[in-house]
């Protein structure tokens, strides 16, 4: 996936093909960088403030200096202007920098991956895999750092087993999250999703869905649920900034519900798009400060 634009702290927009990090940046040596991935709709990143809040929390947890929000807002704006692509993916990176040096802020704009709309229409097949999450602080549960090799390996394993994506379960069979998504399922008018106490990532899309679900006739239960509940649900779906609300039609080779995208997934995806298209604070201007 080629970069459309790149902006670097202290430098502004640079040629996206230009190398910008030192070889001994801690991000590269040890995966010590915090990052965020946002969906850009009509040129505006969705819920930028929430992503900057999470970037700050992740940075604190991995011992990086505080994130400079104003710097990130302007870098994001510069990169998006340079990219001039209204529907895109924005990544914000806050690296630890060199052992003796300063952290570095980066804003990257990439094209939207093409295949998610097709996947949304047919629904994804999930494969359950063992995942280890914990509230032990050093295991960095809920932190979005660039140490994502395990998550990427899980995605690859799910594909090797004939699926589209993975869902992590702990050693007791409790549902956690996907490698880059939060997981949901529905029985009747109740939506279920794993609770943040499990050490999963507090998804920005997850928070949005918690807010809007009641307006669409759904109540939500967050908690500790065994995988058997997902297996027996009427429908399931995942949520993430870039994949948005993606129906799940199969788990470990068995149909979920009637094996077709479900009504909650369809309604909540529509709600997300409506919010993203509106000009209120949900889809913020990159220059406004809340
Ligand atoms: C592990 C994990 N869980 C959940 C999510 C979904 O979070 P968001 O909705 O903020 O994109 C992500 C996003 O990348 C993730 O990496």
């Amino acid at each position: 996936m080629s970069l459309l634009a790149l902006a670097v702290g202290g430098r502004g927009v640079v040629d996206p093909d230009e190398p910008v990090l030192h070889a001994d940046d801690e991000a590269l040596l040890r995966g010590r960088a915090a990052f965020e991935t946002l969906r850009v709709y009509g040129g505006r990143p969705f819920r930028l403030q929430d992503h900057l809040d999470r970037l700050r929390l992740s940075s604190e947890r991995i011992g990086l200096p505080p994130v400079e929000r104003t710097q990130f807002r302007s870098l994001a704006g510069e990169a998006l202007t340079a990219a001039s692509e209204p529907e895109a993916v924005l990544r914000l990176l806050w690296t630890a920098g060199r052992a003796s040096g300063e952290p570095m802020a980066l804003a990257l704009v990439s094209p939207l991956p093409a295949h998610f709309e097709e996947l949304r229409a047919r629904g994804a097949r999930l494969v359950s895999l063992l995942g280890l999450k914990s509230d032990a602080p050093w295991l960095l549960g809920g932190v979005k750092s660039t140490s994502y090799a395990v998550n990427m390996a899980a995605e690859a394993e799910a594909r090797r087993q004939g699926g589209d994506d993975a869902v992590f379960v702990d050693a007791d069979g409790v549902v956690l999250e996907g490698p880059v998504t939060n997981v949901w399922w529905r029985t009747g008018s109740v939506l279920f999703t794993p609770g943040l106490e499990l050490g999963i990532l507090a998804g920005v899309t997850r928070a949005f869905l918690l807010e809007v679900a009641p307006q669409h006739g759904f109540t939500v239960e967050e908690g500790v649920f065994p995988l058997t509940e997902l297996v027996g649900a009427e429908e399931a779906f995942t949520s993430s900034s870039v994949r948005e609300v993606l129906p799940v039609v199969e788990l470990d080779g068995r149909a979920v519900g009637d094996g077709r995208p479900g009504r909650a997934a369809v309604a909540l995806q529509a709600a997300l798009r409506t919010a993203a298209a509106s000009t209120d604070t949900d889809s913020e201007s990159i220059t406004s400060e809340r």
Side-chain angles (χ1 to χ4, degrees):
M1 181 167 42
S2 59
L3 274 186
L4 296 172
L6 170 63
V8 181
R11 295 178 60 191
V13 172
V14 301
D15 181 338
D17 290 331
E18 189 183 315
V20 291
L21 291 179
H22 288 106
D24 59 351
D25 193 296
E26 289 270 297
L28 191 60
L29 293 185
R30 303 182 204 272
R32 230 161 60 78
F35 80 106
E36 286 297 321
T37 307
L38 296 82
R39 171 69 151 84
V40 179
Y41 299 92
R44 294 190 308 263
F46 187 63
R47 299 221 154 173
L48 177 59
Q49 181 70 28
D50 294 348
H51 284 278
L52 289 175
D53 286 347
R54 191 170 64 189
L55 189 65
R56 179 178 52 76
L57 287 175
S58 299
S59 304
E60 272 172 17
R61 295 277 305 281
I62 54 179
L64 302 188
V67 166
E68 290 160 25
R69 287 166 197 268
T70 324
Q71 181 185 31
F72 270 107
R73 281 183 180 279
S74 47
L75 283 180
E78 287 168 37
L80 287 170
T81 305
S84 70
E85 172 52 66
E87 305 301 313
V89 175
L90 170 68
R91 282 197 181 75
L92 305 176
L93 262 140
W94 184 230
T95 83
R98 314 179 93 172
S100 54
E102 296 287 308
M104 169 126 47
L106 303 172
L108 291 64
V109 184
S110 322
L112 276 182
H115 58 284
F116 289 137
E117 291 316 317
E118 188 202 320
L119 196 55
R120 199 181 326 283
R122 84 157 154 82
R125 296 167 301 223
L126 294 192
V127 173
S128 63
L129 296 175
L130 178 66
L132 297 175
K133 293 283 165 202
S134 161
D135 55 6
W138 60 90
L139 293 181
L140 299 181
V143 170
K144 210 162 157 64
S145 82
T146 52
S147 303
Y148 254 46
V150 167
N151 303 45
M152 299 301 99
E155 272 192 0
E157 175 61 20
R159 282 196 293 272
R160 199 190 62 75
Q161 294 188 26
D164 300 298
D165 200 0
V167 53
F168 288 126
V169 291
D170 74 7
D172 298 322
V174 168
V175 189
L176 298 170
E177 63 187 337
V180 293
T181 64
N182 290 112
V183 179
W184 302 73
W185 58 96
R186 178 184 63 80
T187 300
S189 60
V190 184
L191 300 177
F192 298 87
T193 195
L196 298 183
E197 69 273 21
L198 289 163
I200 60 170
L201 193 77
V204 172
T205 320
R206 178 185 184 280
F208 170 79
L209 297 182
L210 287 173
E211 271 170 48
V212 300
Q215 297 156 27
H216 296 271
F218 302 111
T219 53
V220 185
E221 283 190 26
E222 300 173 73
V224 178
F225 306 111
L227 189 66
T228 44
E229 297 214 3
L230 202 171
V231 175
E234 288 169 43
E235 70 166 288
F237 55 92
T238 61
S239 67
S240 89
S241 299
V242 174
R243 300 175 188 208
E244 305 171 290
V245 179
L246 199 63
V248 169
V249 294
E250 198 179 290
L251 175 73
D252 293 334
R254 291 172 53 185
V256 175
D258 64 4
R260 285 181 300 183
R263 63 182 173 89
V266 171
L268 294 171
Q269 170 65 11
L272 175 59
R273 287 290 176 99
T274 303
S278 78
T279 50
D280 65 16
T281 52
D282 281 342
S283 321
E284 291 159 72
S285 145
I286 36 193
T287 49
S288 73
E289 198 54 74
R290 249 203 237 160

